[in-house]
Amino acid sequence: MEAETRAALVVQPGEAGGASLSDGAFELLADGGAVSASRLTLKTGADGAPPHHHKLSHEAFYVLGGTMLFRLGDTLTTVGKGGLVVIPPGLPHVFGAADGEEADVFVVLSPGIERFGYFEKLAAISRGEAELDSLIPEQDRYDVHFENMSHWRSVT
């Protein structure tokens, strides 16, 4: 019986892929497998991804700096540096830098799904180079299922 070969993923500084947003940037660290991981920096008050949920993956956010605002279902939550948010599959959510704040956050999805293409398209949408509707046919592929949460920064 042959021994199973296992290899660790090591991403050195400067090796990650990147995608610039109109109000920030993604650093794409790991894609698929056990986890998908990225680092997201957002300018003051900028939104992250559009409102969505995941059918398959848990999503974890660790705030490296600044303050994030999350809408988790019908609940608004502000999380500062050192805070952690873990979102289970099926929970509608959306996030961004809190009003008047920048944010720096490490994001992990598990199990991982190949999502770099999603982030690249999302970045193009944020820069006005593509329409959000172009991601609608890709919802199952990227496990990002869009939600209608207009005016997500307030719960009425």
Side-chain angles (χ1 to χ4, degrees):
M1 174 181 260
E2 291 184 37
E4 183 178 335
T5 303
R6 295 183 183 195
L9 171 65
V10 177
V11 180
Q12 295 289 353
E15 290 181 350
S20 62
L21 304 169
S22 61
D23 288 330
F26 281 109
E27 189 174 8
L28 308 169
L29 299 163
D31 197 17
V35 299
S36 295
S38 61
R39 182 175 182 178
L40 173 63
T41 55
L42 294 170
K43 294 181 181 175
T44 304
D47 289 350
H52 63 281
H53 72 275
H54 307 285
K55 290 182 179 179
L56 306 173
S57 297
H58 285 78
E59 188 167 27
F61 296 81
Y62 180 77
V63 181
L64 299 167
T67 305
M68 292 285 290
L69 178 65
F70 292 86
R71 181 167 171 186
L72 307 167
D74 292 330
T75 302
L76 279 176
T77 302
T78 302
V79 181
K81 181 180 177 179
L84 174 71
V85 175
V86 179
I87 302 168
L91 181 64
H93 60 282
V94 60
F95 53 89
D99 290 338
E101 296 275 345
E102 294 182 346
D104 184 6
V105 63
F106 178 66
V107 185
V108 175
L109 279 96
S110 181
I113 294 173
E114 292 184 18
R115 296 175 38 114
F116 283 5
Y118 166 78
F119 288 122
E120 290 165 348
K121 189 162 269 195
L122 189 61
I125 291 166
S126 83
R127 296 188 306 265
E129 299 166 4
E131 296 294 323
L132 182 59
D133 288 349
S134 66
L135 279 174
I136 301 293
E138 305 289 344
Q139 292 181 95
D140 286 329
R141 175 180 179 191
Y142 296 125
D143 190 28
V144 177
H145 305 273
F146 297 111
E147 297 277 342
N148 182 9
M149 287 185 185
S150 60
H151 311 292
W152 72 267
R153 289 178 177 263
S154 63
V155 177
T156 55

